[in-house]
Amino acid sequence: MQLPEEFIRQTRQTLGEERFERYMKALGEDAPVSIRVNPAAEAGIMEGAEPVAWCQNGFYLPKRPQFTFDPMLHAGCYYVQEAASMFLDHVLRQLYHPTLNTQHPLFFLDMCAAPGGKSTILLSHLPEGGTLVSNEPNPKRASILSENLQKWLLQGIKSLSSLLVPRSSTFVTNNYPRDFRRAKLNFDLILCDVPCSGEGMFRKDPDSIGEWSAENVEKCWRLQREIVADAWACLRDGGCLIYSTCTLNIKENEENVRWMMEELEAEPVAIPVEPNWHITGSLLPDFTAPVYRFIPGLTRGEGLFMAVLRKKGDEKAKKTDLSRTALKTIPNDFLNAVAEAVGPNAHKIDLNFGQAIQYLRREAIVLPPETPRGIVVVSFEGQPLGLAKNIGNRANNLYPKEWRIKSTYTPKEYEAILRHS
């Protein structure tokens, strides 16, 4: 792995020699494989899986499965997520415990949400009656975000009769941070997982190495401050902003947190952590605010930086009403269709493995001859995948075209599918 000389120089200076050597050694090793199980799902875990210490539903897997051809992934039973990113789960457990009673429904905003991993964590911690807005400025990435959140919420269907999280509580938007500021919306919690130079993901995504430059680091920290300034204007008094990056340098991390404290009068919030998690604190000299840095080689995961900042004051939250704004919202068409189809009289057809893969590839499937005509829910091992319309001699596949599995089979994969059929 050939790293830019300037990156090596800066990172060695930031981390110190011992941490830097451990980081460099880790870059030559395979990245850990980890998933986070949907708490609404009753899904088994691969034999040999180990828990992620800072996430209640996170697990390291002993090997990397063929995720693309696992119907359980497409059913929203779990999310493939890098382990350090799951630290958000621990942070939210400190800020919002399950017995929390509030005087008003809580409003969460994930400002830069795609592809959706951290939004699914936010959903799992959203108190009853609350609302999550997951935003992504890039239209293509916003579509992927919508897909992942709808699949995750699909597991909220209990016995095909009700949703664990009401559909109205989750919105996917496609806007710039400044649009939220202009709309004068108000949130109790805002996550800014900001675009960054990606230094912490070099092992997982080697292509990102070629995109690194000192000039891009300069561009990133300036953009990050713009995003935070817009988000801060939308944060209610007493609310919290969670700032995170997947990079290692202090310009995009500690220096930005210090800027928030000085310019926005943000108050850092300490989050208790265990020593054996090997999380590193501030690496900026004479800056001692509580921050949390995951370094490959020290922690079991990729690079992550996170800080929690509270807005001073105790002003009551204003009502957040997206319907009265000009924000672009992506409708949950798939989830809505499944929710409308379910009920005590719903027809549910459980597919075998081969049929499930055919369905997810949006190929034709043959339903049992006794299947009634009309809309039916198709599932795999009891987990709903989507809808089909039985017209007698065949069934129309209603799985969203843009979600279909596009990968082609290798001979080995096809044999595995046949063995599971």
Side-chain angles (χ1 to χ4, degrees):
M1 185 178 292
Q2 187 65 39
L3 300 175
E5 288 298 324
E6 179 63 15
F7 168 77
I8 292 175
R9 185 191 68 79
Q10 290 184 9
T11 307
R12 175 181 273 118
Q13 182 179 8
T14 298
L15 300 184
E17 195 62 35
E18 181 182 356
R19 293 191 190 100
F20 178 76
E21 291 301 325
R22 294 181 67 173
Y23 166 69
M24 290 297 292
K25 180 181 177 183
L27 290 185
E29 301 169 349
D30 291 336
V33 180
S34 51
I35 65 169
R36 186 168 41 79
V37 176
N38 192 328
E42 298 178 358
I45 304 300
M46 180 185 295
E47 184 177 351
E50 303 175 47
V52 175
W54 46 83
C55 179
Q56 287 185 336
N57 297 300
F59 296 89
Y60 297 104
L61 302 184
K63 59 181 180 179
R64 187 175 188 87
Q66 281 285 354
F67 287 120
T68 301
F69 296 106
D70 185 0
M72 293 299 190
L73 172 65
H74 299 277
C77 293
Y78 65 90
Y79 192 95
V80 183
Q81 187 173 36
E82 186 277 312
S85 296
M86 300 181 197
F87 183 64
L88 177 63
D89 177 78
H90 175 73
V91 170
L92 292 171
R93 274 188 277 128
Q94 310 309 308
L95 298 177
Y96 300 100
H97 51 82
T99 59
L100 177 69
N101 292 316
T102 60
Q103 296 179 349
H104 66 276
L106 293 180
F107 293 90
F108 290 178
L109 170 63
D110 189 350
M111 186 67 88
C112 313
K118 291 185 176 68
S119 278
T120 60
I121 296 179
L122 288 168
L123 273 175
S124 299
H125 289 271
L126 186 66
E128 185 176 354
T131 298
L132 170 66
V133 178
S134 294
N135 179 67
E136 172 54 46
N138 182 287
K140 185 175 180 179
R141 286 170 55 82
S143 295
I144 296 171
L145 170 64
S146 177
E147 173 186 349
N148 287 332
L149 287 187
Q150 289 187 71
K151 287 179 176 179
W152 189 262
L153 286 169
L154 190 63
Q155 277 300 314
I157 297 176
K158 295 288 188 179
S159 303
L160 297 179
S161 60
S162 64
L163 284 173
L164 179 67
V165 180
R167 283 169 286 158
S168 60
S169 70
T170 307
F171 298 89
V172 174
T173 56
N174 174 213
N175 300 272
Y176 291 102
R178 61 177 177 267
D179 296 326
F180 285 86
R181 186 174 194 165
R182 291 168 179 167
K184 298 182 179 180
L185 295 177
N186 195 255
F187 296 91
D188 300 275
L189 177 88
I190 300 178
L191 169 64
C192 286
D193 185 31
V194 291
C196 68
S197 58
E199 298 166 352
M201 305 301 286
F202 284 176
R203 177 171 62 177
K204 184 180 178 182
D205 181 16
D207 290 341
S208 63
I209 298 173
E211 300 173 3
W212 188 92
S213 68
E215 292 77 14
N216 191 41
V217 171
E218 291 294 313
K219 179 182 177 181
C220 284
W221 72 256
R222 296 177 191 276
L223 173 62
Q224 291 154 1
R225 292 188 185 185
E226 291 178 12
I227 293 172
V228 167
D230 287 329
W232 197 256
C234 301
L235 186 66
R236 73 165 177 83
D237 290 349
C240 286
L241 183 143
I242 300 175
Y243 177 81
S244 69
T245 75
C246 57
T247 202
L248 301 174
N249 67 77
I250 59 175
K251 285 190 174 183
E252 298 177 68
N253 295 327
E254 285 92 341
E255 290 188 6
N256 273 350
V257 173
R258 183 171 63 182
W259 172 82
M260 295 176 220
M261 295 171 61
E262 294 175 351
E263 297 297 320
L264 305 177
E265 298 185 343
E267 297 179 333
V269 177
I271 302 296
V273 298
E274 297 296 329
N276 60 2
W277 296 354
H278 304 292
I279 297 173
T280 304
S282 174
L283 295 178
L284 178 63
D286 301 322
F287 183 73
T288 59
V291 298
Y292 308 91
R293 180 187 266 97
F294 289 68
I295 303 173
L298 278 75
T299 51
R300 194 176 176 187
E302 303 310 294
L304 175 85
F305 176 91
M306 189 171 286
V308 183
L309 301 118
R310 193 182 303 277
K311 192 172 187 177
K312 294 180 180 179
D314 56 2
E315 178 185 349
K316 291 184 179 179
K318 302 171 186 176
K319 186 176 181 181
T320 296
D321 187 354
L322 268 68
S323 66
R324 296 181 179 274
T325 72
L327 294 176
K328 291 182 287 185
T329 303
I330 299 176
N332 296 331
D333 290 339
F334 170 77
L335 184 66
N336 291 344
V338 175
E340 290 170 5
V342 302
N345 299 319
H347 298 289
K348 175 183 171 184
I349 305 298
D350 211 48
L351 306 178
N352 62 33
F353 184 82
Q355 291 172 324
I357 296 300
Q358 287 179 313
Y359 175 78
L360 294 169
R361 289 175 61 85
R362 214 170 186 271
E363 297 172 355
I365 57 173
V366 178
L367 301 177
E370 66 274 13
T371 303
R373 296 193 180 196
I375 301 297
V376 298
V377 179
V378 297
S379 61
F380 174 73
E381 295 186 359
Q383 307 291 350
L385 297 174
L387 304 176
K389 184 175 182 180
N390 187 32
I391 57 176
N393 59 338
R394 62 184 175 87
N396 290 337
N397 191 327
L398 301 182
Y399 196 67
K401 184 178 180 180
E402 62 274 18
W403 296 6
R404 71 190 187 280
I405 296 175
K406 302 179 182 67
S407 302
T408 56
Y409 302 127
T410 65
K412 185 176 181 180
E413 289 166 346
Y414 191 70
E415 288 177 8
I417 291 171
L418 293 178
R419 285 197 301 271
H420 282 83
S421 299

